[in-house]
Amino acid sequence: MAWHDGVRETRVLIGPCNKNDEGECGKAEGRILSLRHPKSGTPTCYIFGNESLQELHWFKQAYGSWFIGDYVSEDASLFISTPFDPIFLFLPVFEEARMKKSHDQGMFRELNEILFVDGYPGYQHLLSIAKDSIELICEVKEIGASKFFRLDDSKVLAWLCCKISNLKATLLTLDRNFAAREEAETLNDAVSLLGEYINDAWLKTLCDHMNLDLDAVMRKTLPAAPRRNPPTFSPTSRGSRNGNGKRASEKPSKKKPTDQVESKNIRDMFMRATRSGSKIAKR
């Protein structure tokens, strides 16, 4: 897939199938956007296409490669894209945009203005899906033909509770271990998972609303997540001898084994065992 203009390095991506009217998977097209992670604020890669947003995960093994037709990609990275609710991304942006003060709920602003995030032009591509979902967490005022939005705390809390309910139901279907657990444990797991995508202030608000111990939720051990940001790379032509790709017909360069010492020890061990066996047979 082409990551951006001028880059033709081949990568392997597994993502949702976009089916056409006949139920067949069509050609997948999308744009990679660099957006702020909703919890940490660090630049994170997402895929936007067909009016949907997907989170991009990156897996990398120490050794490996991909065989793609008659082409060998030396980069053994595996990218997986999963559907992602854009409201998680909008939440911190709208919270900053309203400029809330202690006794003031903040300002109403137009959507174009809110999604103008300095250093992140990718947010402008999300205008179309923001119009369809942002009223779930915002108050709306209409003046003439214009709409103005302001984050609404009560709507955000209701939306978060709905997410928790959906997560709990999903966790119970994963396997028997989850189904056999106490409801309180499943609730803690759901809140911990959701906490990876909301800031600590909203996590505290959610825990207070559900009468949960915030410290216990934050200490919850979760499986290690794959890396979300792929490494940077320079543009190369597909199948270039000087780039990262090689044709399958080319012979790989010989490399010295990194475990010669261990191999020698194993070989010696078998040689000693053979000699001992020979001596026993002679006896």
Side-chain angles (χ1 to χ4, degrees):
M1 61 181 294
W3 293 90
H4 54 77
D5 292 341
V7 175
R8 296 186 61 197
E9 290 189 13
T10 301
R11 294 293 184 268
V12 177
L13 170 68
I14 300 175
C17 175
N18 298 317
K19 294 186 177 180
N20 54 26
D21 297 336
E22 299 177 355
E24 299 177 350
C25 290
K27 183 179 180 181
E29 294 183 354
R31 180 189 297 271
I32 292 184
L33 305 178
S34 177
L35 307 170
R36 295 192 310 187
H37 189 271
K39 184 176 184 70
S40 65
T42 56
T44 306
C45 289
Y46 297 86
I47 297 179
F48 179 66
N50 297 319
E51 295 301 304
S52 65
L53 191 68
Q54 299 173 28
E55 186 179 16
L56 189 62
H57 306 273
W58 177 55
F59 297 85
K60 173 71 172 179
Q61 293 184 344
Y63 303 98
S65 59
W66 289 104
F67 291 86
I68 307 170
D70 64 343
Y71 174 80
V72 178
S73 174
E74 290 185 355
D75 190 314
S77 299
L78 174 61
F79 296 86
I80 297 179
S81 62
T82 55
F84 189 77
D85 192 332
I87 294 181
F88 284 109
L89 290 171
F90 297 145
L91 183 56
V93 175
F94 273 73
E95 189 166 14
E96 293 176 3
R98 67 175 171 173
M99 295 185 286
K100 180 181 177 180
K101 298 179 182 178
S102 56
H103 301 292
D104 184 9
Q105 292 300 313
M107 302 170 53
F108 284 85
R109 303 173 70 176
E110 289 188 280
L111 190 57
N112 288 343
E113 183 184 3
I114 295 174
L115 292 183
F116 183 81
V117 182
D118 187 30
Y120 293 89
Y123 282 93
Q124 294 295 310
H125 294 283
L126 305 181
L127 279 169
S128 58
I129 58 175
K131 294 177 182 178
D132 298 330
S133 60
I134 207 61
E135 293 187 18
L136 291 173
I137 58 171
C138 286
E139 296 179 69
V140 184
K141 281 188 177 182
E142 295 189 31
I143 302 178
S146 301
K147 284 187 177 183
F148 299 84
F149 302 88
R150 182 178 69 185
L151 196 67
D152 186 313
D153 291 350
S154 61
K155 285 189 173 185
V156 173
L157 184 58
W159 177 77
L160 290 174
C161 290
C162 182
K163 286 294 183 184
I164 291 298
S165 177
N166 292 339
L167 271 174
K168 283 177 58 182
T170 302
L171 288 175
L172 293 176
T173 63
L174 293 180
D175 58 34
R176 296 178 182 178
N177 293 330
F178 277 103
R181 301 179 71 184
E182 296 291 335
E183 183 178 357
E185 290 182 299
T186 305
L187 179 60
N188 278 342
D189 285 340
V191 175
S192 296
L193 286 169
L194 194 70
E196 294 185 359
Y197 295 97
I198 58 176
N199 62 32
D200 292 343
W202 279 115
L203 183 58
K204 182 180 185 306
T205 300
L206 182 62
C207 288
D208 291 343
H209 178 74
M210 295 187 163
N211 297 318
L212 296 176
D213 183 0
L214 176 63
D215 293 333
V217 170
M218 296 184 71
R219 288 195 304 267
K220 192 72 178 177
T221 303
L222 297 170
R227 293 181 62 174
R228 294 188 176 90
N229 286 325
T232 57
F233 49 87
S234 58
T236 64
S237 297
R238 186 177 184 270
S240 171
R241 293 176 181 270
N242 296 326
N244 289 335
K246 290 185 178 180
R247 294 289 176 184
S249 58
E250 292 186 35
K251 294 182 179 180
S253 57
K254 294 183 178 180
K255 297 181 180 180
K256 295 181 180 180
T258 57
D259 54 347
Q260 283 184 337
V261 177
E262 290 79 359
S263 298
K264 184 177 180 181
N265 291 338
I266 293 174
R267 187 165 54 250
D268 290 344
M269 179 183 68
F270 278 102
M271 289 175 65
R272 287 195 296 271
T274 303
R275 293 184 187 127
S276 300
S278 301
K279 291 178 181 179
I280 294 174
K282 290 178 180 179
R283 292 177 184 176

